Amino acid sequence: RLENLSEEKKRAFLYGDWDVYEGMAFEKWNPKIHVTEPFEIPSHWRQWMGVDNGYTDPFAWYWFAVDELGTVYVTKEFTRDYDDPKLTYTQQAEHVAKENNYEEYCEETGEMLDKSIRLDEIVLGHDAFAKSHETGKTLVDYYIEGGVPGPFTKAVTDRKLRKATWVEYLEPRESGEGIITSKVKIFNTCKKLIETLPLQVNDENDSEKVALTDYDHWYDGAGYGLIAYHIDRVRAPEKPKGIIEQHKSKLAKKSVQTNKRLS
């Protein structure tokens, strides 16, 4: 009889896992599988960020890395909760710049020192690219002023895809050594994501989406970054480039593409 219960009740009554509830968006969440101890990220691994922008509401910046086998690691978290002091967008960027060692930028050579984090992209919510009617500036402008040069890209914000991607990457699977693992691992220092991810609930009107709540900022910010990799997951880790060189290369490619379209 217990085997025939719903997934949530079976986990509770049969396996003694009471960290489940009706309407839970991510029933397969298991900190023993999905949370890991931090370790030093190899310099050749691809790295990027996902951000849920915010000032009055909480903001959530997440760092990502992917290994040679395609396992995605959420490695760092920079956020504020509702009761924490507010930080301007420039102040947020200043903190991120320090985390990435961007203060070590060499004016003479235009390069970052070897210890700086080289990011493929920083994926932002669409509101970060909207110009203010009063100042004419975007949030991206403030991030750049705060010392984060990008490159910035717009997040894919489809709510169904966001939930589906999390479900896919949280799904437990057996590794070659018989160990149960998953496609995404979260460093245990990302406390707010670990706290709120299992609290996400299904949308009452569409269970393919996660409900909009006051505690979805962390799920959204990390979700933007996870989707960015999922869409482009066929790419293998590349030889690291200086972040300035990388940004210039992307701008050059966009310019060529634009000229081709115009011609």
Side-chain angles (χ1 to χ4, degrees):
R1 290 200 302 270
L2 294 178
E3 287 283 2
N4 291 325
L5 292 173
S6 67
E7 185 65 28
E8 298 97 333
K9 290 181 180 178
K10 184 166 67 174
R11 282 178 60 183
F13 289 101
L14 183 60
Y15 302 120
D17 181 0
W18 292 92
D19 292 330
V20 294
Y21 51 88
E22 202 72 36
M24 184 179 188
F26 304 114
E27 300 170 0
K28 300 297 179 70
W29 168 259
N30 186 339
K32 293 180 180 179
I33 297 173
H34 301 118
V35 179
T36 187
E37 290 284 339
F39 57 84
E40 186 174 350
I41 302 299
S43 60
H44 69 281
W45 283 14
R46 180 182 172 196
Q47 296 189 65
W48 69 101
M49 295 185 72
V51 186
D52 184 52
N53 318 106
Y55 171 68
T56 301
D57 285 339
F59 59 79
W61 296 68
Y62 285 98
W63 283 254
F64 291 82
V66 62
D67 66 14
E68 294 84 353
L69 299 177
T71 302
V72 176
Y73 293 87
V74 187
T75 61
K76 284 187 181 183
E77 173 184 78
F78 172 49
T79 184
R80 67 167 287 270
D81 211 336
Y82 287 96
D83 296 330
D84 295 332
K86 296 177 182 177
L87 294 177
T88 67
Y89 298 107
T90 304
Q91 289 172 332
Q92 293 173 38
E94 288 171 349
H95 177 93
V96 172
K98 288 182 180 179
E99 285 291 322
N100 290 344
N101 288 314
Y102 289 168
E103 73 274 14
E104 302 296 343
Y105 173 71
C106 179
E107 293 286 352
E108 292 183 4
T109 64
E111 288 290 335
M112 300 293 179
L113 296 188
D114 287 342
K115 65 179 181 178
S116 63
I117 297 178
R118 295 165 173 83
L119 299 172
D120 255 22
E121 60 183 337
I122 302 176
V123 187
L124 306 172
H126 290 193
D127 56 334
F129 298 86
K131 286 188 177 182
S132 166
H133 295 299
E134 297 179 356
T135 65
K137 287 188 174 184
T138 67
L139 301 188
V140 169
D141 293 326
Y142 291 114
Y143 293 151
I144 293 173
E145 287 179 7
V148 178
F152 301 101
T153 59
K154 287 185 179 181
V156 175
T157 57
D158 183 273
R159 289 171 61 201
K160 285 187 177 182
L161 179 59
R162 185 147 72 251
K163 181 186 177 183
T165 304
W166 273 112
V167 168
E168 174 72 21
Y169 280 74
L170 289 170
E171 179 70 22
R173 57 193 177 94
E174 189 173 319
S175 69
E177 296 80 23
I179 299 172
I180 302 301
T181 184
S182 61
K183 292 181 181 179
V184 66
K185 299 280 189 180
I186 303 171
F187 280 15
N188 62 18
T189 49
C190 300
K191 298 186 182 299
K192 200 63 186 178
L193 181 60
I194 294 169
E195 173 193 337
T196 57
L197 192 57
L199 299 180
Q200 304 305 313
V201 294
N202 294 322
D203 190 309
E204 291 182 357
N205 299 317
D206 188 347
S207 61
E208 297 300 315
K209 301 177 182 177
V210 167
L212 299 173
T213 64
D214 290 337
Y215 48 88
D216 61 6
H217 303 283
W218 302 276
Y219 158 74
D220 287 344
Y224 294 158
L226 193 60
I227 288 176
Y229 171 72
H230 180 66
I231 291 175
D232 200 23
R233 68 187 183 281
V234 294
R235 290 180 55 189
E238 298 176 353
K239 184 179 179 180
K241 297 179 181 179
I243 192 162
I244 299 300
E245 177 188 352
Q246 185 183 73
H247 189 43
K248 287 179 179 179
S249 175
K250 289 201 172 186
L251 288 176
K253 287 180 181 178
K254 287 182 179 180
S255 177
V256 170
Q257 292 170 353
T258 302
N259 290 334
K260 285 183 178 180
R261 287 197 298 270
L262 291 175
S263 62

